[in-house]
Amino acid sequence: MLYLLDANVLIDANRDYYPIDRVPEFWEWLLRMSSSGQVKIPFENLEEVASGNDSVANWVKEHSIQIRLQEEFYTHHLQRVIELGYAGDLTDEEIEKIGRDPFLIAYALTDPTDRVVTSTEVSAPSRIRANRKVPDVCDTFGILHCNTFELIRQLDFRTR
């Protein structure tokens, strides 16, 4: 399985659970998982994190080559995700609101049986259009998804 990380996984981990300066083991583990091909972050989601001005943005900039998903992007997957996962007639404001999430899901759509989208977003099935959450859009396409804690259980993160 290849776990594709949403930007919020890195941002929330640093802010809430595994600050880079206090739990460097988590960040080293992410690099090992990336080197082994089990965890990657699409370019668009890396850009989202790197645009910040904090320790996680600096970490991403320093390690972007190693953690970045290196593959061709298929625009027809993105169009499909936007049209069927959100709505075919999104306004400019709605497109801005959904941000880079459709890219993450489009990369997973390349191989939905062997890719898992990892996000800290929580399912909210009643939401529509630009308010849909990543897990719900993944469900629309039969894409596997998990949160950060499921990721670390699946890939066996340990500090010892």
Side-chain angles (χ1 to χ4, degrees):
M1 287 290 185
L2 172 60
Y3 291 82
L4 298 175
L5 305 187
D6 193 348
N8 60 30
V9 171
L10 301 179
I11 294 166
D12 294 350
N14 184 54
R15 183 189 63 222
D16 298 333
Y17 308 110
Y18 312 112
I20 291 172
D21 61 341
R22 298 194 61 180
V23 190
E25 299 90 349
F26 176 77
W27 302 90
E28 292 162 6
W29 173 77
L30 276 179
L31 291 174
R32 284 193 310 277
M33 293 297 101
S34 184
S35 292
S36 71
Q38 293 179 284
V39 171
K40 293 292 182 179
I41 307 169
F43 171 75
E44 294 78 8
N45 302 92
L46 277 175
E47 272 190 332
E48 191 175 348
V49 179
S51 68
N53 189 23
D54 58 7
S55 59
V56 74
N58 293 336
W59 184 87
V60 163
K61 290 171 192 170
E62 182 179 342
H63 300 289
S64 64
I65 292 171
Q66 185 176 352
I67 61 176
R68 180 180 169 209
L69 179 66
Q70 302 282 340
E71 70 179 33
E72 187 176 334
F73 181 74
Y74 299 105
T75 55
H76 64 276
H77 285 315
L78 179 63
Q79 291 169 338
R80 190 167 167 228
V81 168
I82 291 171
E83 289 175 11
L84 300 177
Y86 295 94
D89 60 346
L90 294 174
T91 65
D92 290 343
E93 291 84 22
E94 288 175 310
I95 290 171
E96 188 173 323
K97 183 176 184 173
I98 60 175
R100 311 235 174 134
D101 291 343
F103 289 92
L104 176 69
I105 298 164
Y107 280 109
L109 198 54
T110 301
D111 189 357
T113 61
D114 194 44
R115 294 188 175 194
V116 181
V117 169
T118 306
S119 176
T120 63
E121 288 189 14
V122 178
S123 175
S126 63
R127 299 237 176 134
I128 60 171
R129 299 180 62 84
N131 294 314
R132 293 201 71 204
K133 299 296 182 182
V134 167
D136 302 315
V137 177
C138 286
D139 286 343
T140 298
F141 296 99
I143 295 170
L144 299 171
H145 55 86
C146 70
N147 64 34
T148 306
F149 300 112
E150 293 166 321
L151 169 76
I152 64 174
R153 278 192 292 277
Q154 291 294 318
L155 296 182
D156 199 29
F157 168 65
R158 297 171 186 264
T159 56
R160 294 183 198 197

